[in-house]
């Protein structure tokens, strides 16, 4: 017997097809907490390439099933995530369309691993840059396209406490966001570097990452409380009359941690910071919801992050949100919050999670959920 709490209609399942929809993928990272032995305290697991189940904290005899556009399990590779969710949109940049890819989820759940990765396991950012460079090179050498040249540039900003900082020129600490007459969003004064080769990109990216680290060590955990926004612009210039110019923008974003800081007990400055971050992540969730429901008003202007993304999230842009989650019990409530943000649909099944994990009890040591973690039967 299953109680259905379908969010399909709510998320536009029966509404007119809209190109503005944000595709949502969830990636579960492997189990890492050695104190929780042998997966016994595991509280979430994949079911198929689009869904997962998680134990219901209110009733251990129930599990909750969530469905997404894509689900990547704990054994998924960097290549699978990239080819499944990001590679297909890159060709749109070469025809002047915009796109954004962002990693959402609590600190420690794998956002940076997914976006940046490591030299041995490169993530979405290096893979996308390498492929875009290659695609632009291939396009300029085809006969059809010989009247066009392509150039690729990068900018890298950090949004911290509603301020936009230029990571390639850290003295630019509070840059404005403007809209031109064609509704393109731009940041006047933002550093832009041309990249002809992957080595060019690597050099600028490393420098910017160092600048981010310097800013971050001055204040504890700043990097998990700020949004890192990499912008790759593909510009296509016609070499003959009428000298048209097309620009495609790709935003690759490692978002601030979505954890609830009221639960982790931060105070003072850190609470103020988390307030600012929670509100911009909250605005992002409202924007994604409004887009996926086809609402007429999208609240882009309510935060710097969404204002910056206005021309690249929704509308004619191609947007992908990758929600990173962790399997350990201590992440349970942050996982639920993240899933409720990401889910296309949810279903409560009244059977225990699995035999071995009937020991997964919600113990008194488990901190109380935030007010907005929904009760299983409530709609969003
Ligand atoms: P976040 O950026 O969300 O705080 P990280 O990307 O830093 O999280 O991941 C936390 C830790 O987990 C890192 O040590 C990272 O290397 C590891 N990790 C995350 N995702 C995976 C994965 N899919 N496979 C292997 N290790 C992972
Ligand atoms: Mg990170």
């Amino acid at each position: 017997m299953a109680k259905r709490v379908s969010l399909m209609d709510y998320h536009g399942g029966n509404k007119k097809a809209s190109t503005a929809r944000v595709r949502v993928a969830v990636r579960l990272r492997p189990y890492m907490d050695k104190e929780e032995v042998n997966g016994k305290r595991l509280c979430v697991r994949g079911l198929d390439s689009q869904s997962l189940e998680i134990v219901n904290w209110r009733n251990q005899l129930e599990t909750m099933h969530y469905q997404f556009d894509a689900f990547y399990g704990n054994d998924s590779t960097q290549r699978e995530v990239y080819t499944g969710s990001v590679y297909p949109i890159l060709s749109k940049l070469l025809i002047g369309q915009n796109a954004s890819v962002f990693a959402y989820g609590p600190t420690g759940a794998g956002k940076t691993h997914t976006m940046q990765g490591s030299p041995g396991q490169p993530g979405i950012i290096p893979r996308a840059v390498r492929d875009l460079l290659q695609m632009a090179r291939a396009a300029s050498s085809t006969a059809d396209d010989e009247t066009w040249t392509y150039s690729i540039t990068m900018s890298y900003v950090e949004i911290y406490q509603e301020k936009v900082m230029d990571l390639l020129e850290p003295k630019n600490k509070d840059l404005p966001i403007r809209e031109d007459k064609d509704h393109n969003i731009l940041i006047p004064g933002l550093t832009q570097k041309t990249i002809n080769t992957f080595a060019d990109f690597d050099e600028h990216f490393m420098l910017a990452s160092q600048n981010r680290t310097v800013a971050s060590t001055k204040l504890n955990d700043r990097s998990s409380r700020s949004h890192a926004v990499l912008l790759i612009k593909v510009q296509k210039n016609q070499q003959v009359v009428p000298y048209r110019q097309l620009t495609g923008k790709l935003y690759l974003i490692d978002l601030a941690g979505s954890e609830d800081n009221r639960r982790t007990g931060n105070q003072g400055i850190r609470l103020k910071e988390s307030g600012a971050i929670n509100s911009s992540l909250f605005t992002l969730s409202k924007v994604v919801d409004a887009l996926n429901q086809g609402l007429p008003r999208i609240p882009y202007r309510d935060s710097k992050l969404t204002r910056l993304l206005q021309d690249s999230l929704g509308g004619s842009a191609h947007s992908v949100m990758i929600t990173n989650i962790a399997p350990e019990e201590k992440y349970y409530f942050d996982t639920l919050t993240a899933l409720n943000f990401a889910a296309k649909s949810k279903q409560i099944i009244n059977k225990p999670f699995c035999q071995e994990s009937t020991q997964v009890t919600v113990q008194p040591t488990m901190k109380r959920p935030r007010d907005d973690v929904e009760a299983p039967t409530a709609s969003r």
Side-chain angles (χ1 to χ4, degrees), residues 240-311:
V240 294
V241 197
Y243 300 107
R244 285 174 64 214
Q245 193 178 68
L246 285 178
T247 304
K249 296 197 287 186
L250 172 65
Y251 283 102
L252 297 163
I253 304 169
D254 189 342
L255 290 167
S258 64
E259 59 272 13
D260 182 354
N261 288 288
R262 285 171 293 178
R263 265 209 320 282
T264 49
N266 289 314
Q267 286 170 355
I269 173 107
R270 297 178 85 189
L271 195 60
K272 181 176 165 239
E273 286 169 37
S274 15
I277 286 146
N278 285 347
S279 77
S280 76
L281 280 182
F282 181 58
T283 303
L284 177 68
S285 75
K286 285 191 297 183
V287 165
V288 170
D289 257 1
L291 288 168
N292 285 0
Q293 282 186 76
L295 296 184
R297 186 187 172 274
I298 316 289
Y300 289 112
R301 286 173 179 266
D302 292 1
S303 78
K304 286 278 166 71
L305 175 72
T306 49
R307 176 69 172 142
L308 180 60
L309 291 177
Q310 184 161 353
D311 63 1

Coordinates of all heavy atoms in Angstrom, one line a residue, residues 240-311:
V240 N 32.7 38.2 -42.2 CA 32.2 39.0 -43.4 C 30.9 39.7 -43.0 O 30.4 39.5 -41.9 CB 31.8 38.0 -44.6 CG1 33.1 37.2 -45.1 CG2 30.8 36.9 -44.1
V241 N 30.5 40.6 -43.9 CA 29.3 41.4 -43.6 C 28.1 40.5 -43.3 O 28.1 39.5 -44.0 CB 29.0 42.3 -44.9 CG1 28.0 43.4 -44.5 CG2 30.3 42.9 -45.5
P242 N 27.3 40.7 -42.4 CA 27.2 41.9 -41.5 C 27.9 41.8 -40.2 O 27.6 42.5 -39.3 CB 25.7 41.9 -41.3 CG 25.3 40.5 -41.2 CD 26.2 39.7 -42.1
Y243 N 29.0 41.0 -40.1 CA 29.8 40.9 -38.9 C 29.0 40.6 -37.7 O 29.1 41.3 -36.7 CB 30.7 42.2 -38.7 CG 31.6 42.4 -39.9 CD1 31.3 43.5 -40.8 CD2 32.7 41.7 -40.1 CE1 32.2 43.8 -41.8 CE2 33.6 41.9 -41.2 CZ 33.3 43.0 -42.1 OH 34.1 43.2 -43.1
R244 N 28.2 39.6 -37.8 CA 27.4 39.3 -36.6 C 28.2 38.7 -35.5 O 29.3 38.2 -35.7 CB 26.3 38.2 -36.9 CG 25.1 38.8 -37.7 CD 24.2 37.7 -38.2 NE 23.6 37.1 -37.0 CZ 23.2 35.8 -37.0 NH1 23.5 35.0 -38.1 NH2 22.7 35.2 -36.0
Q245 N 27.7 38.9 -34.3 CA 28.5 38.4 -33.1 C 27.5 37.6 -32.2 O 26.4 38.1 -31.9 CB 29.1 39.5 -32.3 CG 30.1 39.1 -31.3 CD 30.7 40.3 -30.6 OE1 30.1 41.0 -29.9 NE2 32.0 40.5 -30.9
L246 N 27.8 36.4 -31.9 CA 27.0 35.6 -31.0 C 27.8 35.2 -29.8 O 28.9 34.9 -29.9 CB 26.6 34.3 -31.7 CG 25.5 34.4 -32.8 CD1 25.3 32.9 -33.3 CD2 24.2 34.9 -32.2
T247 N 27.1 35.3 -28.6 CA 27.8 35.0 -27.4 C 27.0 33.9 -26.6 O 25.8 34.1 -26.4 CB 28.1 36.2 -26.5 OG1 28.8 37.2 -27.2 CG2 28.9 35.8 -25.2
G248 N 27.6 32.8 -26.2 CA 27.0 31.8 -25.4 C 27.7 31.8 -24.0 O 28.9 31.8 -24.0
K249 N 27.0 31.9 -23.0 CA 27.6 31.9 -21.6 C 27.3 30.6 -20.9 O 26.1 30.2 -20.9 CB 27.0 33.1 -20.8 CG 27.3 34.4 -21.4 CD 27.1 35.5 -20.3 CE 25.6 35.8 -20.1 NZ 25.5 37.0 -19.1
L250 N 28.3 30.1 -20.3 CA 28.1 28.9 -19.4 C 28.6 29.2 -18.0 O 29.7 29.6 -17.8 CB 29.0 27.7 -20.0 CG 29.1 26.5 -19.1 CD1 27.7 25.8 -18.9 CD2 30.1 25.5 -19.6
Y251 N 27.6 29.1 -17.1 CA 28.0 29.3 -15.6 C 28.2 27.9 -15.0 O 27.3 27.1 -15.1 CB 26.9 30.1 -14.9 CG 26.9 31.5 -15.2 CD1 25.9 32.1 -16.1 CD2 27.8 32.4 -14.5 CE1 25.9 33.5 -16.3 CE2 27.8 33.7 -14.7 CZ 26.8 34.3 -15.6 OH 26.8 35.6 -15.9
L252 N 29.3 27.8 -14.3 CA 29.6 26.5 -13.6 C 29.7 26.9 -12.1 O 30.7 27.6 -11.8 CB 30.8 25.9 -14.2 CG 30.7 25.4 -15.6 CD1 32.1 25.2 -16.2 CD2 29.8 24.2 -15.8
I253 N 28.8 26.5 -11.3 CA 28.7 27.0 -9.9 C 28.8 26.0 -8.8 O 28.1 25.0 -8.8 CB 27.4 27.8 -9.8 CG1 27.3 28.8 -10.9 CG2 27.2 28.4 -8.4 CD1 25.9 29.5 -11.0
D254 N 29.7 26.2 -7.9 CA 29.8 25.4 -6.7 C 29.2 26.2 -5.6 O 29.7 27.2 -5.1 CB 31.3 25.2 -6.4 CG 31.6 24.2 -5.3 OD1 30.7 23.9 -4.5 OD2 32.8 23.7 -5.3
L255 N 27.9 25.9 -5.3 CA 27.1 26.7 -4.3 C 27.6 26.5 -2.9 O 28.3 25.6 -2.5 CB 25.7 26.3 -4.4 CG 24.9 26.6 -5.7 CD1 23.6 25.9 -5.7 CD2 24.6 28.1 -5.8
A256 N 27.2 27.5 -2.1 CA 27.5 27.4 -0.7 C 26.7 26.2 -0.1 O 25.7 25.7 -0.7 CB 26.9 28.7 0.0
G257 N 27.2 25.7 1.0 CA 26.6 24.5 1.7 C 25.2 24.8 2.0 O 24.9 25.9 2.5
S258 N 24.3 23.8 1.8 CA 22.9 24.0 2.1 C 22.5 23.6 3.5 O 21.3 23.6 3.8 CB 22.0 23.2 1.1 OG 22.3 21.9 1.3
E259 N 23.5 23.2 4.3 CA 23.2 22.8 5.7 C 22.5 23.9 6.5 O 22.7 25.0 6.3 CB 24.4 22.3 6.4 CG 25.5 23.3 6.6 CD 26.5 23.4 5.4 OE1 26.2 22.8 4.4 OE2 27.5 24.0 5.5
D260 N 21.7 23.4 7.4 CA 20.9 24.3 8.3 C 21.8 24.7 9.4 O 22.1 23.9 10.3 CB 19.7 23.6 8.8 CG 18.9 24.5 9.6 OD1 19.3 25.6 9.9 OD2 17.8 24.1 10.0
N261 N 22.3 26.0 9.4 CA 23.2 26.4 10.5 C 22.5 26.6 11.8 O 23.2 26.8 12.8 CB 24.0 27.6 10.0 CG 25.0 27.2 9.0 OD1 26.0 26.6 9.3 ND2 24.7 27.6 7.7
R262 N 21.2 26.7 11.8 CA 20.5 26.7 13.1 C 20.7 25.4 13.9 O 20.8 25.4 15.1 CB 19.0 26.9 12.9 CG 18.7 28.4 12.6 CD 17.2 28.5 12.2 NE 16.9 27.7 11.0 CZ 15.7 27.6 10.4 NH1 14.7 28.2 11.0 NH2 15.6 27.0 9.3
R263 N 20.9 24.3 13.1 CA 21.1 23.1 13.7 C 22.6 22.9 14.1 O 22.9 22.3 15.1 CB 20.7 21.9 12.8 CG 19.3 21.4 13.0 CD 19.2 19.9 12.7 NE 19.9 19.5 11.5 CZ 19.4 19.8 10.3 NH1 18.3 20.4 10.1 NH2 20.1 19.4 9.2
T264 N 23.5 23.4 13.4 CA 24.9 23.2 13.7 C 25.4 24.2 14.8 O 26.5 24.2 15.1 CB 25.8 23.3 12.4 OG1 25.5 24.4 11.7 CG2 25.6 22.1 11.6
G265 N 24.5 25.1 15.2 CA 24.8 25.9 16.3 C 25.8 27.0 16.1 O 26.5 27.4 17.0
N266 N 25.8 27.6 14.9 CA 26.7 28.7 14.7 C 26.1 30.0 15.3 O 24.9 30.2 15.4 CB 26.8 29.0 13.2 CG 27.7 27.9 12.6 OD1 28.7 27.5 13.1 ND2 27.2 27.3 11.5
Q267 N 27.0 30.8 15.7 CA 26.5 32.1 16.4 C 27.2 33.3 15.8 O 28.2 33.2 15.1 CB 26.7 32.0 17.9 CG 25.7 31.0 18.5 CD 26.0 30.7 19.9 OE1 27.0 31.1 20.4 NE2 25.1 30.0 20.5
G268 N 26.7 34.5 16.2 CA 27.4 35.7 15.8 C 27.6 35.9 14.4 O 26.7 35.7 13.6
I269 N 28.9 36.2 14.0 CA 29.2 36.5 12.6 C 28.8 35.4 11.7 O 28.3 35.5 10.6 CB 30.7 36.9 12.4 CG1 31.0 37.0 10.9 CG2 31.6 35.9 13.0 CD1 31.2 38.4 10.4
R270 N 29.0 34.2 12.2 CA 28.8 33.0 11.3 C 27.3 32.8 11.1 O 26.9 32.4 10.1 CB 29.4 31.7 12.0 CG 30.9 31.9 12.0 CD 31.5 30.7 12.7 NE 31.7 29.6 11.7 CZ 32.1 28.4 12.1 NH1 32.2 28.1 13.3 NH2 32.3 27.5 11.2
L271 N 26.5 33.2 12.1 CA 25.1 33.1 11.9 C 24.6 34.1 10.9 O 23.8 33.8 10.1 CB 24.4 33.3 13.3 CG 22.9 32.8 13.3 CD1 22.8 31.3 13.0 CD2 22.3 33.1 14.6
K272 N 25.2 35.3 11.0 CA 24.9 36.4 10.0 C 25.2 35.9 8.6 O 24.4 36.0 7.7 CB 25.6 37.6 10.4 CG 25.3 38.8 9.5 CD 26.0 40.1 9.9 CE 25.9 41.1 8.8 NZ 27.3 41.5 8.3
E273 N 26.4 35.3 8.5 CA 26.8 34.8 7.2 C 25.8 33.7 6.7 O 25.4 33.7 5.6 CB 28.1 34.1 7.3 CG 29.3 34.9 7.4 CD 30.5 34.1 7.8 OE1 30.6 33.0 7.2 OE2 31.3 34.6 8.5
S274 N 25.5 32.8 7.6 CA 24.6 31.7 7.2 C 23.3 32.3 6.8 O 22.6 31.8 5.9 CB 24.5 30.6 8.1 OG 24.9 30.9 9.4
G275 N 22.9 33.3 7.5 CA 21.6 34.0 7.1 C 21.7 34.5 5.7 O 20.8 34.2 4.9
A276 N 22.8 35.2 5.3 CA 22.9 35.7 4.0 C 22.9 34.5 3.0 O 22.3 34.6 1.9 CB 24.1 36.5 3.8
I277 N 23.6 33.5 3.3 CA 23.7 32.4 2.4 C 22.4 31.6 2.3 O 21.9 31.4 1.2 CB 24.8 31.4 2.8 CG1 26.1 32.0 2.5 CG2 24.7 30.1 2.1 CD1 27.2 31.7 3.4
N278 N 21.8 31.4 3.4 CA 20.5 30.7 3.4 C 19.5 31.5 2.5 O 18.7 30.9 1.8 CB 19.9 30.5 4.8 CG 20.7 29.3 5.5 OD1 21.4 28.6 4.8 ND2 20.5 29.2 6.7
S279 N 19.5 32.8 2.6 CA 18.5 33.6 1.9 C 18.8 33.5 0.4 O 17.9 33.5 -0.4 CB 18.4 35.0 2.4 OG 19.5 35.8 1.9
S280 N 20.1 33.5 0.0 CA 20.3 33.4 -1.5 C 20.1 32.0 -2.0 O 19.6 31.8 -3.1 CB 21.7 34.0 -1.9 OG 22.7 33.0 -1.5
L281 N 20.3 31.0 -1.2 CA 20.0 29.6 -1.6 C 18.4 29.5 -1.6 O 17.9 28.8 -2.4 CB 20.6 28.6 -0.7 CG 22.0 28.2 -0.9 CD1 22.4 27.1 0.1 CD2 22.3 27.8 -2.3
F282 N 17.8 30.2 -0.6 CA 16.3 30.1 -0.6 C 15.8 30.8 -1.8 O 14.8 30.3 -2.4 CB 15.9 30.8 0.7 CG 14.4 30.8 0.9 CD1 13.7 29.6 0.9 CD2 13.7 32.0 1.0 CE1 12.3 29.6 1.1 CE2 12.3 32.0 1.2 CZ 11.6 30.8 1.2
T283 N 16.3 31.9 -2.2 CA 15.9 32.6 -3.4 C 16.1 31.7 -4.7 O 15.2 31.6 -5.5 CB 16.6 33.9 -3.7 OG1 16.4 34.7 -2.5 CG2 16.1 34.6 -4.9
L284 N 17.3 31.0 -4.7 CA 17.5 30.1 -5.8 C 16.4 29.0 -5.8 O 15.9 28.7 -6.9 CB 18.9 29.4 -5.6 CG 19.3 28.4 -6.7 CD1 19.4 29.1 -8.1 CD2 20.5 27.7 -6.3
S285 N 16.0 28.5 -4.7 CA 15.0 27.4 -4.7 C 13.7 28.0 -5.1 O 12.9 27.3 -5.8 CB 14.9 26.8 -3.3 OG 14.2 27.6 -2.4
K286 N 13.4 29.3 -4.8 CA 12.1 29.9 -5.2 C 12.2 30.1 -6.8 O 11.2 29.8 -7.5 CB 11.9 31.2 -4.6 CG 11.4 31.1 -3.1 CD 10.9 32.4 -2.6 CE 12.0 33.5 -2.5 NZ 11.7 34.7 -2.0
V287 N 13.3 30.4 -7.3 CA 13.5 30.6 -8.7 C 13.3 29.3 -9.5 O 12.5 29.2 -10.5 CB 14.8 31.3 -9.1 CG1 15.2 31.2 -10.6 CG2 14.9 32.8 -8.6
V288 N 14.0 28.3 -9.0 CA 13.9 27.0 -9.6 C 12.4 26.4 -9.6 O 11.9 26.0 -10.6 CB 14.8 25.9 -9.0 CG1 14.6 24.5 -9.4 CG2 16.3 26.3 -9.2
D289 N 11.8 26.6 -8.4 CA 10.4 26.2 -8.3 C 9.5 27.0 -9.2 O 8.6 26.4 -9.9 CB 9.9 26.5 -6.8 CG 9.8 25.3 -6.0 OD1 10.2 24.2 -6.5 OD2 9.4 25.4 -4.8
A290 N 9.7 28.3 -9.3 CA 8.8 29.1 -10.2 C 9.0 28.7 -11.6 O 8.0 28.6 -12.4 CB 9.2 30.6 -9.9
L291 N 10.2 28.5 -12.0 CA 10.5 28.0 -13.4 C 9.9 26.7 -13.7 O 9.2 26.5 -14.7 CB 12.0 27.9 -13.6 CG 12.8 29.2 -13.7 CD1 14.3 29.0 -13.6 CD2 12.5 30.0 -15.0
N292 N 10.0 25.8 -12.7 CA 9.5 24.4 -13.0 C 8.0 24.3 -12.9 O 7.4 23.4 -13.4 CB 10.2 23.4 -12.1 CG 11.6 23.1 -12.5 OD1 12.0 23.7 -13.5 ND2 12.3 22.3 -11.9
Q293 N 7.4 25.3 -12.2 CA 5.9 25.4 -12.2 C 5.3 26.2 -13.3 O 4.1 26.3 -13.5 CB 5.4 26.0 -10.9 CG 5.5 25.2 -9.7 CD 4.8 26.0 -8.5 OE1 3.6 26.1 -8.5 NE2 5.7 26.5 -7.7
G294 N 6.2 26.9 -14.1 CA 5.8 27.8 -15.2 C 5.1 29.0 -14.6 O 4.2 29.6 -15.3
L295 N 5.5 29.5 -13.5 CA 4.9 30.8 -12.9 C 5.3 32.0 -13.8 O 6.4 32.0 -14.3 CB 5.3 31.0 -11.5 CG 4.8 29.9 -10.5 CD1 5.3 30.4 -9.1 CD2 3.3 29.7 -10.5
P296 N 4.4 33.0 -13.8 CA 4.7 34.2 -14.6 C 5.8 35.0 -14.0 O 6.6 35.7 -14.7 CB 3.4 34.9 -14.7 CG 2.6 34.5 -13.5 CD 3.1 33.1 -13.2
R297 N 5.9 35.1 -12.7 CA 6.9 35.9 -12.1 C 8.0 35.1 -11.4 O 7.8 34.2 -10.6 CB 6.3 36.8 -11.0 CG 7.3 37.8 -10.4 CD 6.8 38.6 -9.3 NE 7.9 39.3 -8.7 CZ 8.8 38.9 -7.8 NH1 8.6 37.7 -7.3 NH2 9.8 39.6 -7.4
I298 N 9.3 35.3 -11.9 CA 10.4 34.6 -11.3 C 11.2 35.6 -10.5 O 11.7 36.6 -11.0 CB 11.3 34.0 -12.5 CG1 10.5 33.4 -13.6 CG2 12.3 33.0 -11.9 CD1 9.8 32.1 -13.3
P299 N 11.4 35.3 -9.2 CA 12.0 36.3 -8.3 C 13.6 36.4 -8.4 O 14.3 36.4 -7.4 CB 11.6 35.8 -6.9 CG 11.5 34.4 -7.1 CD 11.0 34.1 -8.5
Y300 N 14.1 36.6 -9.7 CA 15.5 36.7 -9.9 C 16.2 37.8 -9.1 O 17.3 37.7 -8.6 CB 15.8 37.0 -11.4 CG 15.5 35.9 -12.3 CD1 14.5 35.9 -13.2 CD2 16.3 34.7 -12.3 CE1 14.3 34.9 -14.2 CE2 16.1 33.7 -13.2 CZ 15.1 33.8 -14.1 OH 14.8 32.8 -15.0
R301 N 15.4 38.9 -8.9 CA 16.1 40.1 -8.3 C 16.2 40.0 -6.8 O 16.8 40.9 -6.2 CB 15.3 41.3 -8.7 CG 15.4 41.8 -10.1 CD 14.5 42.9 -10.4 NE 14.7 43.3 -11.8 CZ 15.5 44.3 -12.1 NH1 16.1 45.0 -11.2 NH2 15.6 44.7 -13.4
D302 N 15.7 38.9 -6.2 CA 15.8 38.8 -4.7 C 17.1 38.4 -4.2 O 17.3 38.4 -3.0 CB 14.7 37.9 -4.2 CG 13.3 38.4 -4.5 OD1 13.2 39.5 -5.0 OD2 12.3 37.7 -4.1
S303 N 18.1 38.0 -5.0 CA 19.5 37.8 -4.5 C 20.5 38.1 -5.7 O 20.1 38.0 -6.8 CB 19.6 36.4 -4.0 OG 19.8 35.5 -5.1
K304 N 21.7 38.3 -5.3 CA 22.8 38.6 -6.2 C 23.0 37.4 -7.2 O 23.1 37.5 -8.4 CB 24.1 38.9 -5.5 CG 24.2 40.2 -4.9 CD 24.5 41.3 -5.9 CE 24.3 42.7 -5.4 NZ 25.2 43.2 -4.3
L305 N 23.0 36.2 -6.6 CA 23.2 35.0 -7.4 C 22.2 34.8 -8.5 O 22.5 34.6 -9.6 CB 23.2 33.8 -6.4 CG 23.4 32.4 -7.1 CD1 24.8 32.2 -7.6 CD2 23.0 31.3 -6.2
T306 N 20.9 34.9 -8.1 CA 19.9 34.7 -9.1 C 19.8 35.8 -10.1 O 19.5 35.6 -11.3 CB 18.5 34.4 -8.5 OG1 18.2 35.5 -7.5 CG2 18.5 33.1 -7.8
R307 N 20.1 37.0 -9.6 CA 20.2 38.2 -10.5 C 21.2 38.0 -11.6 O 21.0 38.2 -12.8 CB 20.4 39.5 -9.7 CG 20.6 40.7 -10.6 CD 19.3 41.1 -11.2 NE 19.4 42.4 -11.8 CZ 18.8 42.7 -13.0 NH1 18.1 41.8 -13.6 NH2 18.9 43.9 -13.5
L308 N 22.4 37.5 -11.2 CA 23.5 37.2 -12.1 C 23.1 36.2 -13.1 O 23.5 36.2 -14.3 CB 24.8 36.8 -11.3 CG 26.0 36.5 -12.1 CD1 26.5 37.7 -12.9 CD2 27.1 36.1 -11.1
L309 N 22.3 35.2 -12.6 CA 22.0 34.0 -13.5 C 20.7 34.3 -14.3 O 20.3 33.4 -15.1 CB 21.7 32.8 -12.6 CG 22.9 32.2 -11.9 CD1 22.5 31.0 -11.1 CD2 23.9 31.7 -13.0
Q310 N 20.2 35.5 -14.2 CA 18.9 35.8 -14.8 C 18.8 35.4 -16.3 O 17.8 34.9 -16.8 CB 18.5 37.2 -14.6 CG 17.1 37.5 -15.2 CD 16.5 38.8 -14.6 OE1 17.1 39.4 -13.7 NE2 15.4 39.3 -15.1
D311 N 19.9 35.7 -17.1 CA 19.8 35.4 -18.5 C 20.3 33.9 -18.8 O 20.5 33.6 -20.0 CB 20.6 36.4 -19.3 CG 22.1 36.4 -19.0 OD1 22.6 35.6 -18.1 OD2 22.8 37.3 -19.6

